[in-house]
Amino acid sequence: MAVKLLPEKPGKISPKILSEQTRFSYEVFPVTGSMLALAIVLVGFLIWDEISPKSAFIWGAAILTALLARFVAYFGYKRVTRNQEIDPRFWRQFFVWGAFTTAGLMGFAGLVYFPELSDSSKMVFTLLILGLVSGALPILASDLRAYSIYILLSLAPIAYHALAAEIIAVKLIGSLVFVFIGMLMLSCHLFNRALLDSLIYRYRSELLADRLQIANNRLSAANQELQRISTVDELTGTYNRRFFNHRFDEVWADHMRESSTLSALMIDVDLFKSYNDSFGHLQGDHCLRRIAEEIIGVIRRPRDFVARFGGEEFVMVLPNTDIAGAKEIAARIHKRVELLAMPHRRNDAVNRVTVSIGGASIKPGKDSDSDQFLQRVDHALYMAKNRGRNTSVFV
């Protein structure tokens, strides 16, 4: 299933990119927030002696409260994202509005207090604000509008008052601030494009990797299905003759190496041709499926297996099983088929479907032959047929 993680063109915000940028913003906030706190303290010292201490205290308390709220949001974000995936839009908006709040308070200081500062204090104040605005570039650059608003809130009041001043040096500060605003806008545009494109191409690579994994999984599933089709008899759900030939050779080799006893059963549906003639081939197919289910149902060990040997004949291989165990399995099969009670129009006293079973056991060795062993099992089945059917013979 394809999942659209990315926008069609580089440079646009997508939910995936927004989530990554939000995560990055909160991760670096302890550093940027600490820098902001330091700047607030420095600005407070600057304006404390040159304006009303009460006004400076109120301004400092307001901006520190806003900064504290942002730190609380940071810890809340880290706690929520530790255990679950979240919608990044709320947390991103909270972060941006927190930045606007602190920028607005800094701009307020520039608007109200800047004209009252001495020339040297104006220079230091301007440099502090410029440093804060520059430091916010990496965490706000994913949204050009947000960063533009942040810049204007912080620097526009300083530039306005500086240009309106009569002193040439202060006017020069205002001009430099406007130039710096333009440089920040350009840097933001370039940084934004580079950042988002790198994230987009990164996620495109991850998306391609995910799609490749999905394709590999589908191919693996198709191969497994092909393997199943090539080894399973479509009608009865047992293994087919091809699988039996391959697997029986492996089991035979294992028993030669282990010097252990191997048993096999040949199971044939009695008078199946007449059953087909009486009930039709569709009912005959149903009969074979039911018989196969009952034969499979007696298997208890993972190495035992059943295959359709041909027509209405099945073969069961019982590794590490002696003749007594094979006889017990045969008795179970007779019992389960009897309980099916499938009616049959036959020329003897039995009016239901039955099976005949031939079996044999062997401890494979260098002088033994697997084909001869199977012929023994088949001969035992032939003997069971001759003894009236619905019975088992072991040789």
Side-chain angles (χ1 to χ4, degrees), residues 18-36:
L18 181 63
S19 177
E20 182 68 17
Q21 184 63 11
T22 301
R23 183 190 64 79
F24 173 76
S25 297
Y26 277 96
E27 281 187 354
V28 301
F29 177 73
V31 176
T32 58
S34 299
M35 293 172 58
L36 178 58

Side-chain angles (χ1 to χ4, degrees), residues 282-331:
L282 290 179
Q283 186 61 30
D285 290 345
H286 176 71
C287 173
L288 287 179
R289 281 193 293 268
R290 295 294 304 277
I291 295 294
E293 289 173 0
E294 298 307 318
I295 296 173
I296 294 172
V298 305
I299 290 179
R300 295 290 183 270
R301 301 179 305 176
R303 293 185 67 188
D304 299 348
F305 68 94
V306 179
R308 189 179 181 188
F309 202 66
E312 67 275 13
E313 192 171 270
F314 300 90
V315 58
M316 176 180 285
V317 179
L318 302 169
N320 301 111
T321 303
D322 57 18
I323 195 70
K327 289 180 178 179
E328 182 180 347
I329 295 295

Side-chain angles (χ1 to χ4, degrees), residues 320-374:
N320 301 111
T321 303
D322 57 18
I323 195 70
K327 289 180 178 179
E328 182 180 347
I329 295 295
R332 291 182 194 170
I333 294 173
H334 281 299
K335 183 65 176 178
R336 292 177 74 108
V337 173
E338 179 183 356
L339 292 176
L340 282 178
M342 296 182 67
H344 191 331
R345 299 169 191 165
R346 45 199 289 178
N347 56 5
D348 54 19
V350 182
N351 59 357
R352 58 181 174 79
V353 173
T354 61
V355 295
S356 297
I357 301 175
S361 296
I362 190 174
K363 184 178 289 187
K366 294 182 179 180
D367 297 331
S368 56
D369 182 86
S370 59
D371 290 338
Q372 291 180 0
F373 173 68
L374 290 176

Side-chain angles (χ1 to χ4, degrees), residues 253-294:
D254 290 341
H255 282 70
M256 285 186 63
R257 184 172 57 256
E258 298 167 1
S259 188
S260 54
T261 302
L262 170 67
S263 295
L265 304 177
M266 286 283 188
I267 307 144
D268 187 78
V269 182
D270 294 328
L271 300 170
F272 185 71
K273 183 178 183 303
S274 64
Y275 184 92
N276 266 339
D277 293 340
S278 299
F279 296 96
H281 289 282
L282 290 179
Q283 186 61 30
D285 290 345
H286 176 71
C287 173
L288 287 179
R289 281 193 293 268
R290 295 294 304 277
I291 295 294
E293 289 173 0
E294 298 307 318

